[in-house]
Amino acid sequence: MNKNRTTGLAVVAALSVALLSGCEAPSLDKLLTSGDQQTQPANGASAEGSENTTPSSQQEEPGKPKPPSLQETLTMVEGVPTVTNPTELSVVVNKQRALPADYIPPDLVEPNVPFPFDEKVEKRFMRAEAAKALEELFAGAKQDGIELYAVSGYRSYKTQRSLYETYVKTQGAEHAAAYSAVPGKSEHQTGLAMDVSGVDATTRLEEPFGETPEGQWLSAHCGEYGFIIRYLKGKEETTGYSYEPWHLRYVGKEMAQEIMAKGITLEDYLSENGSAQKQ
Ligand SMILES: [Zn+2]
């Protein structure tokens, strides 16, 4: 009964498994090198870390103030629902919430972690605090005998637009809308996301990765380093995306530990009626 859809899925899978959330852009990276004016080495990325020196809503204080709710951080820009807090660690970008088209994270650096490729491309980058946390996560994993690769981090609006347009050309508008992130709506543009794999490429950016020792380790420990598994199994209706056990999103330790312990989504956490708000 679903023959057309199944056929379509197979075609799509051939193009890229990770287009579901715009996770990976393997062949287009080299085309686009914008957004790399910021090329601080990773070991210069010690700037802020988790010290409480920034006057933002992310402050960890005894009263535990919550970051602003989803409703409070959305405005219409030329007909597009757009987030007002792109630089906050609590920013939520999804199919209903775009980043400003011209948003480039202010402090992109390259984390000092292994990548499964040699090219100096934008997808190596993350925001400084997230990059430092990723280095710590990789070190922690290694101590537990888990070897990881960083596969894809920052993705500019321009890259996502090219990817999306290529997809429309090759697969049609309908499929593009269903399987690729619209430019501005990929979380990778925040500089706070990294797709991670084990050194074995067979489950790279595929759902079975969640069952591997590497995937299990990430799920159990990422919160300790300030990361969440952003797209959980069974939460597709909330996040708008399929389960992606490889897609890590940095939110800071306090939020990450609470989100991972409760098994909720970032949307749930920040929703006015979410469990986090009821406390
Ligand atoms: Zn991803």
Side-chain angles (χ1 to χ4, degrees):
M1 57 180 174
N2 254 338
K3 188 145 187 274
N4 286 345
R5 189 153 175 268
T6 314
T7 310
L9 283 172
V11 173
V12 165
L15 191 71
S16 166
V17 291
L19 283 171
L20 284 167
S21 72
C23 264
E24 215 355 359
S27 55
L28 287 162
D29 283 313
K30 287 175 207 160
L31 286 173
L32 301 137
T33 49
S34 73
D36 58 359
Q37 307 95 316
Q38 329 73 345
T39 45
Q40 266 176 275
N43 47 15
S46 57
E48 303 204 11
S50 51
E51 288 89 29
N52 290 332
T53 49
T54 45
S56 77
S57 57
Q58 304 298 325
Q59 289 265 357
E60 293 178 21
E61 285 173 344
K64 271 184 79 179
K66 292 291 175 192
S69 72
L70 291 178
Q71 292 83 351
E72 291 170 296
T73 53
L74 199 63
T75 189
M76 292 299 276
V77 177
E78 294 173 2
V80 180
T82 301
V83 299
T84 58
N85 60 341
T87 60
E88 296 291 327
L89 297 184
S90 59
V91 65
V92 175
V93 176
N94 60 29
K95 290 177 178 174
Q96 288 81 41
R97 304 168 59 89
L99 285 164
D102 60 355
Y103 178 67
I104 295 173
D107 51 0
L108 291 170
V109 299
E110 183 183 335
N112 184 18
V113 297
F115 293 86
F117 54 84
D118 294 324
E119 299 92 336
K120 297 292 177 192
V121 284
E122 68 179 22
K123 67 181 178 180
R124 287 177 176 265
F125 288 84
M126 292 187 91
R127 293 191 56 198
E129 183 176 334
K132 184 166 175 262
L134 191 76
E135 291 172 358
E136 290 166 3
L137 180 145
F138 271 54
K142 202 169 183 181
Q143 280 188 347
D144 288 347
I146 298 291
E147 256 193 283
L148 300 171
Y149 276 149
V151 178
S152 189
Y154 173 63
R155 171 121 32 87
S156 67
Y157 184 93
K158 207 171 148 189
T159 301
Q160 188 66 32
R161 191 178 57 196
S162 294
L163 181 66
Y164 193 79
E165 285 170 356
T166 301
Y167 206 73
V168 170
K169 271 183 218 155
T170 56
Q171 301 292 319
E174 200 178 323
H175 272 107
Y179 296 109
S180 178
V182 173
K185 294 182 178 176
S186 169
E187 192 173 66
H188 285 271
Q189 193 190 335
T190 65
L192 296 169
M194 181 62 81
D195 299 327
V196 169
S197 78
V199 293
D200 173 4
T202 56
T203 59
R204 188 165 295 161
L205 309 193
E206 289 184 15
E207 193 172 319
F209 175 67
E211 303 304 318
T212 63
E214 292 85 353
Q216 301 266 303
W217 189 93
L218 283 176
S219 177
H221 297 285
C222 67
E224 298 161 25
Y225 300 91
F227 288 91
I228 59 171
I229 307 290
R230 179 71 175 87
Y231 305 115
L232 295 171
K233 195 181 275 184
K235 302 286 185 182
E236 293 82 357
E237 284 195 16
T238 307
T239 64
Y241 287 115
S242 300
Y243 173 49
E244 295 191 352
W246 62 85
H247 178 107
L248 295 182
R249 157 66 193 273
Y250 186 73
V251 293
K253 284 183 187 175
E254 188 186 1
M255 215 189 299
Q257 281 172 340
E258 189 173 338
I259 287 173
M260 290 305 293
K262 289 182 173 170
I264 59 174
T265 65
L266 186 56
E267 282 88 352
D268 290 333
Y269 182 84
L270 294 168
S271 155
E272 268 180 354
N273 300 314
S275 50
Q277 300 288 330
K278 284 180 188 158
Q279 293 179 350

